[in-house]
Amino acid sequence: MDIQLDATSEVPLYQQLRDRVVEGIAAGRLRTGETLSPVRRLAAAFGVNPATIGKGYDLLRGEGLVTINAKSGTFVRRDRDVPLTDSNFVDAWFPRLVTLLAEGRAQGLGPERIREICDAALESFERE
Amino acid sequence: MDIQLDATSEVPLYQQLRDRVVEGIAAGRLRTGETLSPVRRLAAAFGVNPATIGKGYDLLRGEGLVTINAKSGTFVRRDRDVPLTDSNFVDAWFPRLVTLLAEGRAQGLGPERIREICDAALESFERE
Amino acid sequence: MDIQLDATSEVPLYQQLRDRVVEGIAAGRLRTGETLSPVRRLAAAFGVNPATIGKGYDLLRGEGLVTINAKSGTFVRRDRDVPLTDSNFVDAWFPRLVTLLAEGRAQGLGPERIREICDAALESFERE
Amino acid sequence: MDIQLDATSEVPLYQQLRDRVVEGIAAGRLRTGETLSPVRRLAAAFGVNPATIGKGYDLLRGEGLVTINAKSGTFVRRDRDVPLTDSNFVDAWFPRLVTLLAEGRAQGLGPERIREICDAALESFERE
DNA sequence: GTGGTCTAGACCACC
DNA sequence: GTGGTCTAGACCACG
C-alpha cells in the first residue's frame, strides 16, 4: 500500500493511517474488494502497536469505507465511482469543508487561488 | 457577531467559536481592526464559561488571526484581502485539504461535483 | 523530575513548568520517549490545579517538544541531539536572543563577559 | 533613531520600542546623555497612541536605562561601557538566558551552533 | 488509569 | 472596563 506514517507528527498514527487509506481510495489506488494489509503485518512494518492499526481500520469501517471480517481480513468496501445515494455524508462533510476553506480565505488566499489549489488536489486523485 | 454554539456537538465549544470567527473573517463580516465581543459578554450570551471563550480567542491568536490586548480587547488582525507572505501556512494547509477532499471522493462524489461544492463554499464568502 | 514552581513569581505557573521541562530536555535529563508525570499527579505534588499543569504541557506540545496522548500520557518528543530540519525555529529564536543579549550589553556587561556567561549556561546542559 | 515597529507582531508595541532602544544602547548607537525622541513626535511618526510610547519609555526607566524628565525629555542614562556594579541584574538575567538557550538546545541546536549564534549577535553590537 | 473539556467562580494587573 | 491566571471541582472518552 506504500503508506508512510510520521511518528513525529501531531496527528495520531491511527488517524494518519485512516487518512492515507482514504486518499488511496480517492485516487483509485485502492479498489473495491481489495484487501488491506493484515493488522499485525502492518503494525510490524510500521513498528507500532497492532491496536493502533486496528483503530485506524475501525475508523474506516465507521465511515463505511471498509469491511472488517475477523476471519478473512479488511477489504475496501466503497467504490469512489459509485455515486452516493445517502445525502447524510454531504450534510456532515460540507460544513467541515467550509471551515477549512474559510481558514485559507481568512489567511489571505484569494478565491481563485483556493480554487486552483482544490483543482490541483482533485486532479491528483484522477491522475493515477 | 451572530454566532451560534452547539453544546451537544462533539466539537469543543472553543473550537466552534474559533471556526465561526474564521468563517466570519473569510466572509468579510469581520474586518481588520474590528473588535470581537469581550470574553465575559460573549460567555454570558452563550451561557458558557469565560475561560472557554478565552481559549477560543487564544487559538485565533495562535493562528495570527486576532490580536489580544488585555487592556482594550480582542481585535481582528488578518485581513482576508492581504495576500499571504508566508508560505508555511499553505504548506500545512494543503495536506489537510487533500485529505478532506479525498474523503468526499472516496465516498463517491465525482471531481466535478466536489468542484461545484467548493465553488459554492467560496462564493458564500464573497457574497457579503 | 525535580521541578520547583514559585507561586510568588510574576511568571505564570504553567510557563514555569514549561521552562523547567525545556531546560530538562536541553540538559538531557529528559530524553526522547520519556514520560512526563501525569497531569494530576504533578498537580498534587505542586499543590496546583491539574488544568494549570495541562496548560503547561499544551505549550510544550505547541512547540513540538512533547506528544500528548489522552490514553497513555505525555512524552518527550524532541531529542536535543536530533538536528533541526526546520529553519523557522531559528528565524523566530534569533531575534529574541539578540534582544536578551542586548539587555546584558546595555546594562554594562562586556562582550567577553556575556560570552563567558553563555558558555557557563551551555556547559551546564552538557554536564549531565 | 531609525526604529521600526511591527503592528502585526504578537509583541506589544511598547515592548518592541523598549527592545529596539535596548538594542540601540547595546550597539552603541544610543550613547549616554543622548535624547530620545519626544513621546508625541514618536507617537505621531509611528501612528500609535502616545501612551504606548510612554509605556515603552517607562519600562526603560524601570530598568535604569533612561532618565525621564517631564520638562526636558527622555535621556539615555546607562553607558554600555560602564561596568555593572550591581550584581542583581545578572542574578535576574542569567536564568532568563538559561531558559532561552535551553529552548534552542532542546530544539536540536548543538552547543557549538548556539555559541556561534551568540557570537554573531554579540559581534553585531560591536560593529558600529 | 490517562488527558480533555467545562463550570462557576476568584483575584490580579492594567488603564 | 479588559483579558490573564488559577482554583476546586465535575464529567467525558478512551483503553
Side-chain angles (χ1 to χ4, degrees):
Chain A
M1 291 199 300
D2 262 4
I3 287 178
Q4 302 283 345
L5 300 187
D6 174 8
T8 75
S9 165
E10 290 284 279
V11 182
L13 294 169
Y14 64 81
Q15 181 75 37
Q16 292 182 47
L17 172 61
R18 175 266 179 198
D19 290 348
R20 294 301 89 74
V21 171
V22 167
E23 288 159 15
I25 297 174
R29 279 194 307 276
L30 294 170
R31 295 202 163 71
T32 307
E34 195 152 342
T35 308
L36 299 185
S37 301
V39 167
R40 277 163 302 201
R41 189 186 309 164
L42 210 54
F46 290 146
V48 302
N49 194 303
T52 302
I53 305 297
K55 181 160 181 180
Y57 282 0
D58 203 53
L59 280 182
L60 292 160
R61 186 185 52 181
E63 300 179 78
L65 292 171
V66 306
T67 303
I68 300 178
N69 183 306
K71 294 183 184 153
S72 48
T74 301
F75 308 93
V76 176
R77 179 179 171 201
R78 277 290 307 167
D79 186 321
R80 65 165 190 167
D81 292 322
V82 172
L84 268 183
T85 53
D86 182 2
S87 74
N88 289 340
F89 170 73
V90 178
D91 290 347
W93 184 72
F94 184 66
R96 291 199 290 140
L97 180 64
V98 166
T99 301
L100 189 59
L101 294 181
E103 202 175 306
R105 187 77 188 85
Q107 290 284 357
L109 297 176
E112 319 76 25
R113 182 91 183 83
I114 295 177
R115 200 170 287 118
E116 285 169 19
I117 294 174
C118 289
D119 279 346
L122 290 169
E123 279 162 25
S124 75
F125 301 150
E126 309 307 319
R127 220 172 304 159
E128 310 177 36
Chain B
M1 291 200 300
D2 265 3
I3 289 177
Q4 301 283 345
L5 300 187
D6 174 9
T8 72
S9 163
E10 293 279 286
V11 182
L13 294 170
Y14 64 80
Q15 180 75 37
Q16 293 182 46
L17 172 62
R18 175 267 179 199
D19 290 348
R20 296 300 89 73
V21 172
V22 167
E23 289 159 13
I25 296 174
R29 279 194 307 276
L30 294 170
R31 293 199 168 74
T32 304
E34 196 151 341
T35 308
L36 300 186
S37 301
V39 169
R40 280 170 296 200
R41 192 186 309 162
L42 208 54
F46 290 149
V48 304
N49 191 286
T52 303
I53 305 296
K55 188 161 180 178
Y57 281 3
D58 198 53
L59 274 185
L60 291 160
R61 185 186 56 80
E63 300 181 77
L65 292 172
V66 307
T67 301
I68 298 179
N69 184 306
K71 324 293 163 42
S72 50
T74 300
F75 307 92
V76 176
R77 170 145 80 129
R78 272 286 310 148
D79 188 319
R80 66 167 190 164
D81 294 322
V82 172
L84 270 183
T85 54
D86 183 4
S87 75
N88 291 331
F89 170 74
V90 178
D91 291 346
W93 184 72
F94 183 66
R96 293 200 289 140
L97 180 65
V98 167
T99 301
L100 189 59
L101 295 181
E103 201 176 309
R105 188 74 189 86
Q107 290 285 356
L109 297 175
E112 316 76 25
R113 181 89 183 86
I114 294 177
R115 199 170 286 120
E116 285 168 20
I117 294 175
C118 288
D119 280 346
L122 290 169
E123 278 162 26
S124 76
F125 300 150
E126 308 306 319
R127 256 203 300 272
E128 307 177 37
Chain C
M1 291 200 302
D2 264 4
I3 288 177
Q4 300 283 345
L5 300 186
D6 173 10
T8 72
S9 164
E10 291 279 288
V11 182
L13 296 169
Y14 64 80
Q15 180 75 37
Q16 293 181 45
L17 172 61
R18 175 266 179 200
D19 290 348
R20 296 300 89 73
V21 172
V22 168
E23 289 159 13
I25 296 174
R29 280 194 307 277
L30 294 171
R31 293 201 167 72
T32 305
E34 196 150 342
T35 307
L36 300 186
S37 301
V39 170
R40 280 170 295 200
R41 191 185 311 161
L42 209 53
F46 291 148
V48 304
N49 192 286
T52 302
I53 306 296
K55 187 160 182 179
Y57 282 2
D58 198 53
L59 274 184
L60 291 161
R61 186 185 56 81
E63 299 180 77
L65 292 172
V66 307
T67 301
I68 298 178
N69 184 307
K71 324 292 163 42
S72 50
T74 301
F75 308 91
V76 176
R77 169 144 81 127
R78 274 290 303 154
D79 188 319
R80 65 167 192 166
D81 293 321
V82 172
L84 270 183
T85 54
D86 184 4
S87 75
N88 291 332
F89 170 75
V90 179
D91 291 346
W93 184 71
F94 184 66
R96 293 201 289 141
L97 180 65
V98 167
T99 301
L100 190 58
L101 294 181
E103 201 176 307
R105 188 74 188 86
Q107 290 285 356
L109 297 175
E112 316 76 25
R113 182 89 183 85
I114 294 177
R115 199 169 286 119
E116 285 168 19
I117 295 174
C118 289
D119 279 346
L122 290 170
E123 279 162 26
S124 76
F125 301 150
E126 309 306 319
R127 255 202 300 271
E128 310 177 35
Chain D
M1 291 199 300
D2 262 4
I3 287 178
Q4 301 284 345
L5 300 187
D6 174 8
T8 74
S9 163
E10 290 284 277
V11 182
L13 294 169
Y14 63 81
Q15 180 74 39
Q16 292 182 46
L17 173 62
R18 175 267 179 196
D19 290 347
R20 295 301 88 73
V21 172
V22 168
E23 289 160 13
I25 297 174
R29 279 194 307 277
L30 294 170
R31 294 201 164 72
T32 307
E34 195 152 340
T35 309
L36 300 185
S37 301
V39 167
R40 278 163 302 200
R41 189 187 310 164
L42 209 53
F46 291 145
V48 303
N49 194 303
T52 302
I53 305 297
K55 183 160 181 181
Y57 282 1
D58 204 51
L59 279 182
L60 292 161
R61 185 185 51 182
E63 301 179 77
L65 292 171
V66 307
T67 303
I68 299 179
N69 183 305
K71 294 186 183 152
S72 48
T74 301
F75 307 93
V76 176
R77 181 179 170 201
R78 278 288 310 166
D79 186 319
R80 65 166 189 165
D81 293 321
V82 173
L84 269 182
T85 53
D86 181 3
S87 76
N88 289 339
F89 169 73
V90 178
D91 290 346
W93 184 72
F94 183 67
R96 293 200 288 140
L97 180 64
V98 167
T99 301
L100 189 59
L101 294 181
E103 201 175 307
R105 188 75 189 86
Q107 290 284 357
L109 298 176
E112 318 74 27
R113 181 92 182 83
I114 294 177
R115 200 169 285 120
E116 284 168 21
I117 294 174
C118 288
D119 279 346
L122 290 169
E123 279 162 24
S124 77
F125 300 149
E126 308 307 319
R127 220 172 303 157
E128 308 176 36

